[in-house]
Amino acid sequence: MRHTHDRLHTHGHPALTRPVTLSVGAVHVTPGQPWQDALARADRALYAAKAAGKNRILMDPHPAPTPSSPHVTHT
């Protein structure tokens, strides 16, 4: 993602008339993890990345719950 964004930013593109910024919230997902948990964690990471400034990729700091642990939602 970062490479593609950098190429758009440095080489330009005829269809782009304004600068492009990219904010990403990423999570580590374990097998058996409910997709709702991963999505909620990614959403929180995305909003944290946006709050930190433009052009940020932020990894959720909370470890993914394991299938043997109870479903935990971090707030």
Side-chain angles (χ1 to χ4, degrees):
M1 284 187 287
R2 175 73 70 186
H3 174 70
T4 301
H5 174 261
D6 289 346
R7 287 190 62 218
L8 283 172
H9 183 69
T10 57
H11 299 304
H13 189 278
L16 299 177
T17 58
R18 297 174 57 176
V20 175
T21 62
L22 177 71
S23 295
V24 176
V27 296
H28 181 264
V29 180
T30 57
Q33 177 185 6
W35 66 267
Q36 296 93 336
D37 180 67
L39 182 61
R41 292 172 45 234
D43 193 50
R44 283 193 299 273
L46 171 61
Y47 281 99
K50 287 178 171 283
K54 294 180 179 179
N55 293 325
R56 307 282 181 187
I57 297 175
L58 187 70
M59 184 75 176
D60 177 53
H62 300 103
T66 60
S68 61
S69 68
H71 178 70
V72 176
T73 303
H74 299 280
T75 58

